[in-house]
Amino acid sequence: MPHILLVEDDASVRDGMELVLRRHGYAVDTAARGEDALALLAGPAGAGIELAVLDVMLPGIDGVEVCRRIRADGSAIPLIMLTALGEDGDIVRGLEAGADDYVVKPVTAPVLEARIRAALRRAEPVRRRPGEDAYAGLVIDRAGLTVTKRGTVVALPPTELRVLLELSASPGQVFSREQLLRSVWEHDFLGDSRLVDAAVGRLRAKIEDVPAKPVYVQTVRGFGYRFGPV
């Protein structure tokens, strides 16, 4: 039974979402404030939480800051942001803070549950492949599912790790954003290229010497991304 944290200050929305999720077999903890969510995650119950759904607009610490603090603490649990219709700025801020996905309110139960299932699948151990690949100081251990740069382990949340594994499996091949959405996020018509761009940006910040001039994850303008050096 997957264990989820739902952070939403609107009691009626929170209760409705909690009911739906419990009917789908999830164990659900709830919080109405960002401070309460962080305290819960830091406490004994936090160890069992496998995913968090965070509303952006919260009293006190907002959802974006909650997301940022969760990532700063080293947690790799999937984070899904709830944003208001038309608030593109909130979407961008949430993704830059480390959110794995987002849904726009009002959201239907099937859409939310589908996004949660996909996020939990991404957090499952990646199918292990034999071998170890080394690229100019970057070593990708496909058996141990670890990444090191010049001997230092690089901690990557599941979504960023999956993007790197997908790209590096075929060095030099160009992957469109749509291909990455389908293979990593399992999105198709529900997808958004901003998810890919944000994950690539976070990945570059961790593995590139100069993220603005990437060597490993290269942009092919007008097409997508490829893994180098090639």
Side-chain angles (χ1 to χ4, degrees):
M1 180 183 293
H3 191 173
I4 291 174
L5 172 60
L6 172 62
V7 189
E8 166 64 63
D9 65 314
D10 186 315
S12 61
V13 173
R14 184 175 64 248
D15 292 346
M17 287 185 175
E18 180 183 5
L19 179 62
V20 168
L21 292 174
R22 289 189 182 279
R23 284 177 174 172
H24 280 86
Y26 298 98
V28 184
D29 281 332
T30 64
R33 298 174 59 86
E35 294 88 340
D36 298 336
L38 291 170
L40 195 155
L41 286 167
I49 292 175
E50 299 169 65
L51 178 146
V53 179
L54 306 169
D55 187 24
V56 169
M57 299 300 293
L58 295 171
I61 301 174
D62 70 9
V64 173
E65 181 60 23
V66 172
C67 177
R68 187 175 291 112
R69 294 190 189 188
I70 290 172
R71 291 292 183 244
D73 286 342
S75 174
I77 66 168
L79 301 174
I80 299 177
M81 304 295 296
L82 295 173
T83 69
L85 182 64
E87 295 296 331
D88 287 356
D90 287 340
I91 293 170
V92 172
R93 290 193 306 121
L95 294 175
E96 289 177 345
D100 297 279
D101 202 350
Y102 73 90
V103 290
V104 177
K105 297 192 297 184
V107 57
T108 64
V111 168
L112 178 61
E113 209 270 325
R115 295 294 183 95
I116 289 172
R117 278 190 284 108
L120 288 171
R121 281 194 294 269
R122 287 198 300 276
E124 292 173 354
V126 183
R127 180 171 61 86
R128 298 186 174 218
R129 302 173 183 174
E132 182 179 274
D133 301 325
Y135 307 92
L138 188 73
V139 177
I140 303 170
D141 183 348
R142 295 181 178 277
L145 298 176
T146 60
V147 177
T148 58
K149 182 178 178 182
R150 301 190 185 97
T152 301
V153 175
V154 180
L156 295 176
T159 297
E160 293 161 36
L161 177 60
R162 286 181 181 272
V163 169
L164 180 59
L165 291 174
E166 188 74 19
L167 292 172
S168 63
S170 303
Q173 178 180 333
V174 179
F175 290 80
S176 70
R177 291 171 175 82
E178 290 72 21
Q179 286 175 303
L180 291 171
L181 278 168
R182 287 194 294 269
S183 60
V184 176
W185 281 265
E186 302 179 34
H187 287 190
D188 194 351
F189 64 93
L190 296 175
D192 187 318
S193 63
R194 285 176 294 192
L195 295 171
V196 178
D197 294 340
V200 166
R202 298 193 304 266
L203 177 60
R204 283 173 171 167
K206 295 168 185 173
I207 67 171
E208 302 284 358
D209 288 335
V210 182
K213 297 179 180 180
V215 172
Y216 304 114
V217 181
Q218 304 170 352
T219 299
V220 180
R221 194 172 299 278
F223 292 93
Y225 298 103
R226 70 181 174 195
F227 185 82
V230 295

